PDB file of all heavy atoms in Angstrom:
ATOM      1  N   GLY L   1       1.563  15.544 -15.128  1.00 98.00           N
ATOM      2  CA  GLY L   1       0.649  14.948 -14.167  1.00 98.00           C
ATOM      3  C   GLY L   1       0.996  13.560 -13.687  1.00 98.00           C
ATOM      4  O   GLY L   1       0.175  12.908 -13.031  1.00 98.00           O
ATOM      5  N   VAL L   2       2.210  13.053 -13.988  1.00 98.00           N
ATOM      6  CA  VAL L   2       2.547  11.716 -13.482  1.00 98.00           C
ATOM      7  C   VAL L   2       2.713  11.758 -11.969  1.00 98.00           C
ATOM      8  O   VAL L   2       2.993  12.813 -11.379  1.00 98.00           O
ATOM      9  CB  VAL L   2       3.806  11.133 -14.161  1.00 98.00           C
ATOM     10  CG1 VAL L   2       3.693  11.191 -15.678  1.00 98.00           C
ATOM     11  CG2 VAL L   2       5.085  11.812 -13.683  1.00 98.00           C
ATOM     12  N   ALA L   3       2.549  10.596 -11.337  1.00 98.00           N
ATOM     13  CA  ALA L   3       2.590  10.504  -9.875  1.00 98.00           C
ATOM     14  C   ALA L   3       3.934  10.024  -9.351  1.00 98.00           C
ATOM     15  O   ALA L   3       4.183  10.067  -8.148  1.00 98.00           O
ATOM     16  CB  ALA L   3       1.493   9.571  -9.375  1.00 98.00           C
ATOM     17  N   GLY L   4       4.808   9.537 -10.258  1.00 98.00           N
ATOM     18  CA  GLY L   4       6.090   9.036  -9.785  1.00 98.00           C
ATOM     19  C   GLY L   4       6.806   8.248 -10.858  1.00 98.00           C
ATOM     20  O   GLY L   4       6.393   8.225 -12.023  1.00 98.00           O
ATOM     21  N   PHE L   5       7.879   7.568 -10.405  1.00 98.00           N
ATOM     22  CA  PHE L   5       8.792   6.934 -11.353  1.00 98.00           C
ATOM     23  C   PHE L   5       9.278   5.582 -10.857  1.00 98.00           C
ATOM     24  O   PHE L   5       9.612   5.420  -9.681  1.00 98.00           O
ATOM     25  CB  PHE L   5      10.028   7.827 -11.572  1.00 98.00           C
ATOM     26  CG  PHE L   5       9.675   9.219 -12.019  1.00 98.00           C
ATOM     27  CD1 PHE L   5       9.660  10.277 -11.108  1.00 98.00           C
ATOM     28  CD2 PHE L   5       9.330   9.476 -13.334  1.00 98.00           C
ATOM     29  CE1 PHE L   5       9.309  11.551 -11.513  1.00 98.00           C
ATOM     30  CE2 PHE L   5       8.979  10.750 -13.750  1.00 98.00           C
ATOM     31  CZ  PHE L   5       8.974  11.797 -12.831  1.00 98.00           C
ATOM     32  N   ARG L   6       9.329   4.627 -11.777  1.00 98.00           N
ATOM     33  CA  ARG L   6      10.114   3.412 -11.587  1.00 98.00           C
ATOM     34  C   ARG L   6      11.453   3.711 -12.261  1.00 98.00           C
ATOM     35  O   ARG L   6      11.511   3.974 -13.457  1.00 98.00           O
ATOM     36  CB  ARG L   6       9.425   2.223 -12.260  1.00 98.00           C
ATOM     37  CG  ARG L   6      10.171   0.881 -12.098  1.00 98.00           C
ATOM     38  CD  ARG L   6      10.991   0.547 -13.312  1.00 98.00           C
ATOM     39  NE  ARG L   6      11.597  -0.788 -13.251  1.00 98.00           N
ATOM     40  CZ  ARG L   6      12.526  -1.234 -14.074  1.00 98.00           C
ATOM     41  NH1 ARG L   6      12.975  -0.461 -15.054  1.00 98.00           N
ATOM     42  NH2 ARG L   6      13.035  -2.437 -13.947  1.00 98.00           N
ATOM     43  N   VAL L   7      12.533   3.723 -11.481  1.00 98.00           N
ATOM     44  CA  VAL L   7      13.829   4.136 -12.004  1.00 98.00           C
ATOM     45  C   VAL L   7      14.656   2.895 -12.318  1.00 98.00           C
ATOM     46  O   VAL L   7      14.975   2.094 -11.433  1.00 98.00           O
ATOM     47  CB  VAL L   7      14.564   5.060 -11.012  1.00 98.00           C
ATOM     48  CG1 VAL L   7      15.837   5.611 -11.652  1.00 98.00           C
ATOM     49  CG2 VAL L   7      13.656   6.215 -10.589  1.00 98.00           C
ATOM     50  N   ASP L   8      14.976   2.735 -13.592  1.00 98.00           N
ATOM     51  CA  ASP L   8      15.671   1.556 -14.098  1.00 98.00           C
ATOM     52  C   ASP L   8      17.138   1.556 -13.664  1.00 98.00           C
ATOM     53  O   ASP L   8      17.776   2.604 -13.571  1.00 98.00           O
ATOM     54  CB  ASP L   8      15.584   1.576 -15.635  1.00 98.00           C
ATOM     55  CG  ASP L   8      16.197   0.357 -16.289  1.00 98.00           C
ATOM     56  OD1 ASP L   8      15.671  -0.743 -16.089  1.00 98.00           O
ATOM     57  OD2 ASP L   8      17.219   0.516 -16.997  1.00 98.00           O
ATOM     58  N   ALA L   9      17.685   0.365 -13.426  1.00 98.00           N
ATOM     59  CA  ALA L   9      19.137   0.145 -13.267  1.00 98.00           C
ATOM     60  C   ALA L   9      19.771   0.995 -12.172  1.00 98.00           C
ATOM     61  O   ALA L   9      20.888   1.483 -12.321  1.00 98.00           O
ATOM     62  CB  ALA L   9      19.846   0.405 -14.607  1.00 98.00           C
ATOM     63  N   CYS L  10      19.087   1.153 -11.033  1.00 98.00           N
ATOM     64  CA  CYS L  10      19.634   2.010  -9.964  1.00 98.00           C
ATOM     65  C   CYS L  10      20.911   1.450  -9.353  1.00 98.00           C
ATOM     66  O   CYS L  10      21.748   2.209  -8.870  1.00 98.00           O
ATOM     67  CB  CYS L  10      18.583   2.240  -8.881  1.00 98.00           C
ATOM     68  SG  CYS L  10      17.311   3.413  -9.401  1.00 98.00           S
ATOM     69  N   LYS L  11      21.061   0.130  -9.378  1.00 97.00           N
ATOM     70  CA  LYS L  11      22.291  -0.460  -8.842  1.00 97.00           C
ATOM     71  C   LYS L  11      23.520   0.057  -9.572  1.00 97.00           C
ATOM     72  O   LYS L  11      24.623   0.062  -9.021  1.00 97.00           O
ATOM     73  CB  LYS L  11      22.203  -1.992  -8.975  1.00 97.00           C
ATOM     74  CG  LYS L  11      23.409  -2.736  -8.415  1.00 97.00           C
ATOM     75  CD  LYS L  11      23.075  -4.194  -8.135  1.00 97.00           C
ATOM     76  CE  LYS L  11      23.142  -5.056  -9.359  1.00 97.00           C
ATOM     77  NZ  LYS L  11      22.953  -6.488  -9.016  1.00 97.00           N
ATOM     78  N   HIS L  12      23.322   0.514 -10.813  1.00 98.00           N
ATOM     79  CA  HIS L  12      24.429   0.974 -11.639  1.00 98.00           C
ATOM     80  C   HIS L  12      24.676   2.476 -11.500  1.00 98.00           C
ATOM     81  O   HIS L  12      25.463   3.045 -12.257  1.00 98.00           O
ATOM     82  CB  HIS L  12      24.156   0.599 -13.099  1.00 98.00           C
ATOM     83  CG  HIS L  12      24.007  -0.879 -13.277  1.00 98.00           C
ATOM     84  ND1 HIS L  12      25.082  -1.734 -13.309  1.00 98.00           N
ATOM     85  CD2 HIS L  12      22.903  -1.665 -13.372  1.00 98.00           C
ATOM     86  CE1 HIS L  12      24.649  -2.986 -13.442  1.00 98.00           C
ATOM     87  NE2 HIS L  12      23.328  -2.965 -13.474  1.00 98.00           N
ATOM     88  N   MET L  13      24.000   3.108 -10.528  1.00 98.00           N
ATOM     89  CA  MET L  13      24.210   4.529 -10.246  1.00 98.00           C
ATOM     90  C   MET L  13      24.519   4.715  -8.767  1.00 98.00           C
ATOM     91  O   MET L  13      24.012   3.977  -7.923  1.00 98.00           O
ATOM     92  CB  MET L  13      22.962   5.331 -10.637  1.00 98.00           C
ATOM     93  CG  MET L  13      22.686   5.335 -12.137  1.00 98.00           C
ATOM     94  SD  MET L  13      21.168   6.217 -12.603  1.00 98.00           S
ATOM     95  CE  MET L  13      19.932   4.939 -12.360  1.00 98.00           C
ATOM     96  N   TRP L  14      25.357   5.701  -8.463  1.00 98.00           N
ATOM     97  CA  TRP L  14      25.714   5.987  -7.072  1.00 98.00           C
ATOM     98  C   TRP L  14      24.521   6.621  -6.365  1.00 98.00           C
ATOM     99  O   TRP L  14      23.890   7.540  -6.911  1.00 98.00           O
ATOM    100  CB  TRP L  14      26.924   6.911  -7.005  1.00 98.00           C
ATOM    101  CG  TRP L  14      28.176   6.257  -7.512  1.00 98.00           C
ATOM    102  CD1 TRP L  14      28.672   6.293  -8.783  1.00 98.00           C
ATOM    103  CD2 TRP L  14      29.075   5.432  -6.750  1.00 98.00           C
ATOM    104  NE1 TRP L  14      29.825   5.534  -8.873  1.00 98.00           N
ATOM    105  CE2 TRP L  14      30.103   4.999  -7.638  1.00 98.00           C
ATOM    106  CE3 TRP L  14      29.115   5.014  -5.426  1.00 98.00           C
ATOM    107  CZ2 TRP L  14      31.149   4.182  -7.223  1.00 98.00           C
ATOM    108  CZ3 TRP L  14      30.163   4.187  -5.016  1.00 98.00           C
ATOM    109  CH2 TRP L  14      31.172   3.790  -5.911  1.00 98.00           C
ATOM    110  N   PRO L  15      24.193   6.153  -5.143  1.00 98.00           N
ATOM    111  CA  PRO L  15      23.057   6.736  -4.420  1.00 98.00           C
ATOM    112  C   PRO L  15      23.163   8.254  -4.263  1.00 98.00           C
ATOM    113  O   PRO L  15      22.152   8.961  -4.351  1.00 98.00           O
ATOM    114  CB  PRO L  15      23.105   6.022  -3.058  1.00 98.00           C
ATOM    115  CG  PRO L  15      23.756   4.704  -3.343  1.00 98.00           C
ATOM    116  CD  PRO L  15      24.769   4.984  -4.423  1.00 98.00           C
ATOM    117  N   GLY L  16      24.372   8.756  -4.070  1.00 97.00           N
ATOM    118  CA  GLY L  16      24.536  10.208  -3.935  1.00 97.00           C
ATOM    119  C   GLY L  16      24.148  10.961  -5.194  1.00 97.00           C
ATOM    120  O   GLY L  16      23.577  12.059  -5.127  1.00 97.00           O
ATOM    121  N   ASP L  17      24.456  10.376  -6.354  1.00 98.00           N
ATOM    122  CA  ASP L  17      24.076  11.009  -7.617  1.00 98.00           C
ATOM    123  C   ASP L  17      22.557  11.004  -7.783  1.00 98.00           C
ATOM    124  O   ASP L  17      21.961  12.001  -8.213  1.00 98.00           O
ATOM    125  CB  ASP L  17      24.730  10.290  -8.803  1.00 98.00           C
ATOM    126  CG  ASP L  17      26.256  10.437  -8.808  1.00 98.00           C
ATOM    127  OD1 ASP L  17      26.760  11.365  -8.150  1.00 98.00           O
ATOM    128  OD2 ASP L  17      26.929   9.626  -9.472  1.00 98.00           O
ATOM    129  N   LEU L  18      21.928   9.877  -7.437  1.00 98.00           N
ATOM    130  CA  LEU L  18      20.469   9.799  -7.513  1.00 98.00           C
ATOM    131  C   LEU L  18      19.821  10.782  -6.541  1.00 98.00           C
ATOM    132  O   LEU L  18      18.829  11.438  -6.880  1.00 98.00           O
ATOM    133  CB  LEU L  18      19.994   8.376  -7.217  1.00 98.00           C
ATOM    134  CG  LEU L  18      20.246   7.344  -8.314  1.00 98.00           C
ATOM    135  CD1 LEU L  18      19.907   5.945  -7.811  1.00 98.00           C
ATOM    136  CD2 LEU L  18      19.420   7.661  -9.560  1.00 98.00           C
ATOM    137  N   SER L  19      20.387  10.903  -5.354  1.00 97.00           N
ATOM    138  CA  SER L  19      19.857  11.843  -4.361  1.00 97.00           C
ATOM    139  C   SER L  19      19.846  13.263  -4.912  1.00 97.00           C
ATOM    140  O   SER L  19      18.877  14.012  -4.735  1.00 97.00           O
ATOM    141  CB  SER L  19      20.695  11.775  -3.081  1.00 97.00           C
ATOM    142  OG  SER L  19      20.240  12.708  -2.132  1.00 97.00           O
ATOM    143  N   SER L  20      20.917  13.620  -5.624  1.00 97.00           N
ATOM    144  CA  SER L  20      20.987  14.964  -6.206  1.00 97.00           C
ATOM    145  C   SER L  20      19.911  15.157  -7.272  1.00 97.00           C
ATOM    146  O   SER L  20      19.248  16.200  -7.326  1.00 97.00           O
ATOM    147  CB  SER L  20      22.375  15.198  -6.814  1.00 97.00           C
ATOM    148  OG  SER L  20      22.435  16.461  -7.441  1.00 97.00           O
ATOM    149  N   VAL L  21      19.715  14.140  -8.114  1.00 98.00           N
ATOM    150  CA  VAL L  21      18.679  14.248  -9.151  1.00 98.00           C
ATOM    151  C   VAL L  21      17.292  14.326  -8.515  1.00 98.00           C
ATOM    152  O   VAL L  21      16.482  15.207  -8.845  1.00 98.00           O
ATOM    153  CB  VAL L  21      18.754  13.051 -10.122  1.00 98.00           C
ATOM    154  CG1 VAL L  21      17.536  13.028 -11.052  1.00 98.00           C
ATOM    155  CG2 VAL L  21      20.038  13.106 -10.940  1.00 98.00           C
ATOM    156  N   PHE L  22      17.002  13.417  -7.576  1.00 97.00           N
ATOM    157  CA  PHE L  22      15.672  13.390  -6.957  1.00 97.00           C
ATOM    158  C   PHE L  22      15.408  14.674  -6.172  1.00 97.00           C
ATOM    159  O   PHE L  22      14.257  15.113  -6.063  1.00 97.00           O
ATOM    160  CB  PHE L  22      15.523  12.168  -6.040  1.00 97.00           C
ATOM    161  CG  PHE L  22      15.641  10.836  -6.751  1.00 97.00           C
ATOM    162  CD1 PHE L  22      15.930   9.679  -6.033  1.00 97.00           C
ATOM    163  CD2 PHE L  22      15.475  10.734  -8.122  1.00 97.00           C
ATOM    164  CE1 PHE L  22      16.036   8.449  -6.668  1.00 97.00           C
ATOM    165  CE2 PHE L  22      15.595   9.508  -8.773  1.00 97.00           C
ATOM    166  CZ  PHE L  22      15.874   8.361  -8.043  1.00 97.00           C
ATOM    167  N   GLY L  23      16.470  15.250  -5.628  1.00 96.00           N
ATOM    168  CA  GLY L  23      16.326  16.499  -4.887  1.00 96.00           C
ATOM    169  C   GLY L  23      15.926  17.683  -5.752  1.00 96.00           C
ATOM    170  O   GLY L  23      15.483  18.712  -5.244  1.00 96.00           O
ATOM    171  N   ARG L  24      16.076  17.548  -7.064  1.00 97.00           N
ATOM    172  CA  ARG L  24      15.708  18.616  -8.004  1.00 97.00           C
ATOM    173  C   ARG L  24      14.294  18.463  -8.548  1.00 97.00           C
ATOM    174  O   ARG L  24      13.853  19.282  -9.360  1.00 97.00           O
ATOM    175  CB  ARG L  24      16.688  18.616  -9.193  1.00 97.00           C
ATOM    176  CG  ARG L  24      18.131  18.866  -8.789  1.00 97.00           C
ATOM    177  CD  ARG L  24      19.065  18.752  -9.993  1.00 97.00           C
ATOM    178  NE  ARG L  24      20.464  18.785  -9.560  1.00 97.00           N
ATOM    179  CZ  ARG L  24      21.436  19.398 -10.224  1.00 97.00           C
ATOM    180  NH1 ARG L  24      21.169  20.023 -11.362  1.00 97.00           N
ATOM    181  NH2 ARG L  24      22.660  19.394  -9.763  1.00 97.00           N
ATOM    182  N   LEU L  25      13.605  17.405  -8.128  1.00 97.00           N
ATOM    183  CA  LEU L  25      12.286  17.153  -8.693  1.00 97.00           C
ATOM    184  C   LEU L  25      11.228  18.064  -8.092  1.00 97.00           C
ATOM    185  O   LEU L  25      11.246  18.380  -6.903  1.00 97.00           O
ATOM    186  CB  LEU L  25      11.889  15.687  -8.474  1.00 97.00           C
ATOM    187  CG  LEU L  25      12.791  14.650  -9.156  1.00 97.00           C
ATOM    188  CD1 LEU L  25      12.222  13.260  -8.965  1.00 97.00           C
ATOM    189  CD2 LEU L  25      12.985  14.956 -10.641  1.00 97.00           C
ATOM    190  N   LYS L  26      10.296  18.472  -8.919  1.00 97.00           N
ATOM    191  CA  LYS L  26       9.170  19.283  -8.491  1.00 97.00           C
ATOM    192  C   LYS L  26       8.201  18.447  -7.654  1.00 97.00           C
ATOM    193  O   LYS L  26       8.248  17.211  -7.682  1.00 97.00           O
ATOM    194  CB  LYS L  26       8.422  19.830  -9.715  1.00 97.00           C
ATOM    195  CG  LYS L  26       9.248  20.735 -10.609  1.00 97.00           C
ATOM    196  CD  LYS L  26       8.413  21.183 -11.802  1.00 97.00           C
ATOM    197  CE  LYS L  26       9.211  22.125 -12.707  1.00 97.00           C
ATOM    198  NZ  LYS L  26       8.371  22.590 -13.850  1.00 97.00           N
ATOM    199  N   THR L  27       7.316  19.122  -6.945  1.00 97.00           N
ATOM    200  CA  THR L  27       6.200  18.407  -6.331  1.00 97.00           C
ATOM    201  C   THR L  27       5.135  18.177  -7.412  1.00 97.00           C
ATOM    202  O   THR L  27       5.174  18.776  -8.492  1.00 97.00           O
ATOM    203  CB  THR L  27       5.621  19.199  -5.148  1.00 97.00           C
ATOM    204  OG1 THR L  27       5.332  20.530  -5.572  1.00 97.00           O
ATOM    205  CG2 THR L  27       6.629  19.242  -3.998  1.00 97.00           C
ATOM    206  N   LEU L  28       4.195  17.294  -7.113  1.00 98.00           N
ATOM    207  CA  LEU L  28       3.249  16.842  -8.135  1.00 98.00           C
ATOM    208  C   LEU L  28       2.256  17.935  -8.531  1.00 98.00           C
ATOM    209  O   LEU L  28       1.994  18.874  -7.789  1.00 98.00           O
ATOM    210  CB  LEU L  28       2.503  15.599  -7.650  1.00 98.00           C
ATOM    211  CG  LEU L  28       3.378  14.372  -7.338  1.00 98.00           C
ATOM    212  CD1 LEU L  28       2.496  13.170  -6.994  1.00 98.00           C
ATOM    213  CD2 LEU L  28       4.313  14.034  -8.503  1.00 98.00           C
ATOM    214  N   ASN L  29       1.698  17.762  -9.723  1.00 98.00           N
ATOM    215  CA  ASN L  29       0.767  18.716 -10.303  1.00 98.00           C
ATOM    216  C   ASN L  29      -0.476  18.858  -9.421  1.00 98.00           C
ATOM    217  O   ASN L  29      -1.177  17.873  -9.148  1.00 98.00           O
ATOM    218  CB  ASN L  29       0.368  18.216 -11.701  1.00 98.00           C
ATOM    219  CG  ASN L  29      -0.403  19.229 -12.508  1.00 98.00           C
ATOM    220  OD1 ASN L  29      -1.283  19.905 -11.993  1.00 98.00           O
ATOM    221  ND2 ASN L  29      -0.085  19.326 -13.790  1.00 98.00           N
ATOM    222  N   THR L  30      -0.745  20.085  -8.986  1.00 98.00           N
ATOM    223  CA  THR L  30      -1.831  20.315  -8.023  1.00 98.00           C
ATOM    224  C   THR L  30      -3.216  20.182  -8.651  1.00 98.00           C
ATOM    225  O   THR L  30      -4.225  20.255  -7.947  1.00 98.00           O
ATOM    226  CB  THR L  30      -1.704  21.706  -7.375  1.00 98.00           C
ATOM    227  OG1 THR L  30      -1.620  22.695  -8.416  1.00 98.00           O
ATOM    228  CG2 THR L  30      -0.474  21.785  -6.495  1.00 98.00           C
ATOM    229  N   LYS L  31      -3.275  19.971  -9.968  1.00 98.00           N
ATOM    230  CA  LYS L  31      -4.581  19.706 -10.574  1.00 98.00           C
ATOM    231  C   LYS L  31      -5.146  18.386 -10.060  1.00 98.00           C
ATOM    232  O   LYS L  31      -6.366  18.209  -9.964  1.00 98.00           O
ATOM    233  CB  LYS L  31      -4.456  19.681 -12.103  1.00 98.00           C
ATOM    234  CG  LYS L  31      -5.777  19.475 -12.830  1.00 98.00           C
ATOM    235  CD  LYS L  31      -5.620  19.600 -14.329  1.00 98.00           C
ATOM    236  CE  LYS L  31      -6.963  19.358 -15.035  1.00 98.00           C
ATOM    237  NZ  LYS L  31      -6.837  19.437 -16.507  1.00 98.00           N
ATOM    238  N   TRP L  32      -4.238  17.446  -9.740  1.00 98.00           N
ATOM    239  CA  TRP L  32      -4.689  16.109  -9.320  1.00 98.00           C
ATOM    240  C   TRP L  32      -4.158  15.671  -7.953  1.00 98.00           C
ATOM    241  O   TRP L  32      -4.622  14.668  -7.410  1.00 98.00           O
ATOM    242  CB  TRP L  32      -4.282  15.067 -10.362  1.00 98.00           C
ATOM    243  CG  TRP L  32      -4.944  15.270 -11.682  1.00 98.00           C
ATOM    244  CD1 TRP L  32      -6.283  15.084 -11.964  1.00 98.00           C
ATOM    245  CD2 TRP L  32      -4.344  15.705 -12.899  1.00 98.00           C
ATOM    246  NE1 TRP L  32      -6.528  15.368 -13.286  1.00 98.00           N
ATOM    247  CE2 TRP L  32      -5.358  15.751 -13.896  1.00 98.00           C
ATOM    248  CE3 TRP L  32      -3.042  16.060 -13.269  1.00 98.00           C
ATOM    249  CZ2 TRP L  32      -5.112  16.137 -15.204  1.00 98.00           C
ATOM    250  CZ3 TRP L  32      -2.798  16.435 -14.583  1.00 98.00           C
ATOM    251  CH2 TRP L  32      -3.819  16.484 -15.536  1.00 98.00           C
ATOM    252  N   PHE L  33      -3.170  16.396  -7.410  1.00 97.00           N
ATOM    253  CA  PHE L  33      -2.552  15.968  -6.152  1.00 97.00           C
ATOM    254  C   PHE L  33      -2.504  17.139  -5.171  1.00 97.00           C
ATOM    255  O   PHE L  33      -2.388  18.296  -5.592  1.00 97.00           O
ATOM    256  CB  PHE L  33      -1.135  15.432  -6.405  1.00 97.00           C
ATOM    257  CG  PHE L  33      -1.095  14.265  -7.337  1.00 97.00           C
ATOM    258  CD1 PHE L  33      -0.870  14.435  -8.700  1.00 97.00           C
ATOM    259  CD2 PHE L  33      -1.303  12.975  -6.864  1.00 97.00           C
ATOM    260  CE1 PHE L  33      -0.859  13.359  -9.574  1.00 97.00           C
ATOM    261  CE2 PHE L  33      -1.293  11.886  -7.724  1.00 97.00           C
ATOM    262  CZ  PHE L  33      -1.071  12.078  -9.080  1.00 97.00           C
ATOM    263  N   PRO L  34      -2.564  16.848  -3.866  1.00 97.00           N
ATOM    264  CA  PRO L  34      -2.477  17.920  -2.875  1.00 97.00           C
ATOM    265  C   PRO L  34      -1.163  18.694  -3.010  1.00 97.00           C
ATOM    266  O   PRO L  34      -0.134  18.123  -3.377  1.00 97.00           O
ATOM    267  CB  PRO L  34      -2.540  17.171  -1.541  1.00 97.00           C
ATOM    268  CG  PRO L  34      -3.186  15.868  -1.845  1.00 97.00           C
ATOM    269  CD  PRO L  34      -2.771  15.526  -3.245  1.00 97.00           C
ATOM    270  N   SER L  35      -1.206  19.968  -2.721  1.00 96.00           N
ATOM    271  CA  SER L  35      -0.026  20.829  -2.808  1.00 96.00           C
ATOM    272  C   SER L  35       1.113  20.261  -1.969  1.00 96.00           C
ATOM    273  O   SER L  35       0.900  19.816  -0.830  1.00 96.00           O
ATOM    274  CB  SER L  35      -0.388  22.241  -2.326  1.00 96.00           C
ATOM    275  OG  SER L  35       0.740  23.079  -2.370  1.00 96.00           O
ATOM    276  N   GLY L  36       2.321  20.250  -2.533  1.00 96.00           N
ATOM    277  CA  GLY L  36       3.495  19.790  -1.805  1.00 96.00           C
ATOM    278  C   GLY L  36       3.730  18.298  -1.849  1.00 96.00           C
ATOM    279  O   GLY L  36       4.658  17.795  -1.215  1.00 96.00           O
ATOM    280  N   THR L  37       2.921  17.547  -2.625  1.00 96.00           N
ATOM    281  CA  THR L  37       3.076  16.088  -2.696  1.00 96.00           C
ATOM    282  C   THR L  37       4.314  15.727  -3.512  1.00 96.00           C
ATOM    283  O   THR L  37       4.484  16.188  -4.638  1.00 96.00           O
ATOM    284  CB  THR L  37       1.844  15.441  -3.347  1.00 96.00           C
ATOM    285  OG1 THR L  37       0.672  15.843  -2.637  1.00 96.00           O
ATOM    286  CG2 THR L  37       1.955  13.923  -3.312  1.00 96.00           C
ATOM    287  N   LYS L  38       5.161  14.883  -2.941  1.00 97.00           N
ATOM    288  CA  LYS L  38       6.379  14.464  -3.633  1.00 97.00           C
ATOM    289  C   LYS L  38       6.094  13.287  -4.566  1.00 97.00           C
ATOM    290  O   LYS L  38       5.222  12.464  -4.284  1.00 97.00           O
ATOM    291  CB  LYS L  38       7.453  14.040  -2.621  1.00 97.00           C
ATOM    292  CG  LYS L  38       7.945  15.181  -1.750  1.00 97.00           C
ATOM    293  CD  LYS L  38       8.874  14.673  -0.672  1.00 97.00           C
ATOM    294  CE  LYS L  38       9.318  15.811   0.232  1.00 97.00           C
ATOM    295  NZ  LYS L  38      10.097  15.318   1.378  1.00 97.00           N
ATOM    296  N   PRO L  39       6.846  13.179  -5.662  1.00 98.00           N
ATOM    297  CA  PRO L  39       6.657  12.028  -6.544  1.00 98.00           C
ATOM    298  C   PRO L  39       7.053  10.732  -5.847  1.00 98.00           C
ATOM    299  O   PRO L  39       8.018  10.704  -5.071  1.00 98.00           O
ATOM    300  CB  PRO L  39       7.586  12.319  -7.729  1.00 98.00           C
ATOM    301  CG  PRO L  39       8.598  13.282  -7.201  1.00 98.00           C
ATOM    302  CD  PRO L  39       7.900  14.090  -6.143  1.00 98.00           C
ATOM    303  N   PHE L  40       6.303   9.679  -6.107  1.00 98.00           N
ATOM    304  CA  PHE L  40       6.648   8.341  -5.625  1.00 98.00           C
ATOM    305  C   PHE L  40       7.831   7.832  -6.447  1.00 98.00           C
ATOM    306  O   PHE L  40       7.826   7.926  -7.673  1.00 98.00           O
ATOM    307  CB  PHE L  40       5.439   7.421  -5.808  1.00 98.00           C
ATOM    308  CG  PHE L  40       5.646   5.992  -5.408  1.00 98.00           C
ATOM    309  CD1 PHE L  40       6.274   5.654  -4.220  1.00 98.00           C
ATOM    310  CD2 PHE L  40       5.185   4.955  -6.214  1.00 98.00           C
ATOM    311  CE1 PHE L  40       6.443   4.317  -3.845  1.00 98.00           C
ATOM    312  CE2 PHE L  40       5.342   3.624  -5.848  1.00 98.00           C
ATOM    313  CZ  PHE L  40       5.968   3.313  -4.668  1.00 98.00           C
ATOM    314  N   ILE L  41       8.831   7.305  -5.759  1.00 98.00           N
ATOM    315  CA  ILE L  41       9.999   6.765  -6.453  1.00 98.00           C
ATOM    316  C   ILE L  41      10.209   5.321  -6.010  1.00 98.00           C
ATOM    317  O   ILE L  41      10.256   5.026  -4.816  1.00 98.00           O
ATOM    318  CB  ILE L  41      11.259   7.607  -6.166  1.00 98.00           C
ATOM    319  CG1 ILE L  41      11.138   8.962  -6.885  1.00 98.00           C
ATOM    320  CG2 ILE L  41      12.529   6.878  -6.607  1.00 98.00           C
ATOM    321  CD1 ILE L  41      12.221   9.940  -6.543  1.00 98.00           C
ATOM    322  N   TYR L  42      10.286   4.416  -6.983  1.00 98.00           N
ATOM    323  CA  TYR L  42      10.699   3.048  -6.669  1.00 98.00           C
ATOM    324  C   TYR L  42      11.805   2.652  -7.626  1.00 98.00           C
ATOM    325  O   TYR L  42      11.724   2.841  -8.818  1.00 98.00           O
ATOM    326  CB  TYR L  42       9.539   2.053  -6.655  1.00 98.00           C
ATOM    327  CG  TYR L  42       8.606   1.992  -7.839  1.00 98.00           C
ATOM    328  CD1 TYR L  42       8.628   0.905  -8.704  1.00 98.00           C
ATOM    329  CD2 TYR L  42       7.655   2.982  -8.063  1.00 98.00           C
ATOM    330  CE1 TYR L  42       7.730   0.807  -9.769  1.00 98.00           C
ATOM    331  CE2 TYR L  42       6.757   2.897  -9.122  1.00 98.00           C
ATOM    332  CZ  TYR L  42       6.809   1.809  -9.974  1.00 98.00           C
ATOM    333  OH  TYR L  42       5.924   1.720 -11.024  1.00 98.00           O
TER     334      TYR L  42
END
């Protein structure tokens, strides 16, 4: 049921690698969020 992520040390990872990981993330739990809601990422 989390709403998103603060991702540590992103400067030390390639944006393309992060894009691949974030692209595999599920949408948020519909018990608390509208269907299809993407996780907040900062």
Side-chain angles (χ1 to χ4, degrees):
V2 308
F5 305 100
R6 181 261 186 192
V7 187
D8 183 65
C10 285
K11 182 160 82 174
H12 300 282
M13 294 177 276
W14 293 92
D17 294 340
L18 287 172
S19 178
S20 177
V21 170
F22 298 161
R24 299 176 189 218
L25 298 185
K26 298 179 179 182
T27 52
L28 299 185
N29 190 318
T30 54
K31 183 174 179 182
W32 296 291
F33 301 94
S35 179
T37 305
K38 294 173 182 173
F40 178 45
I41 289 173
Y42 51 109

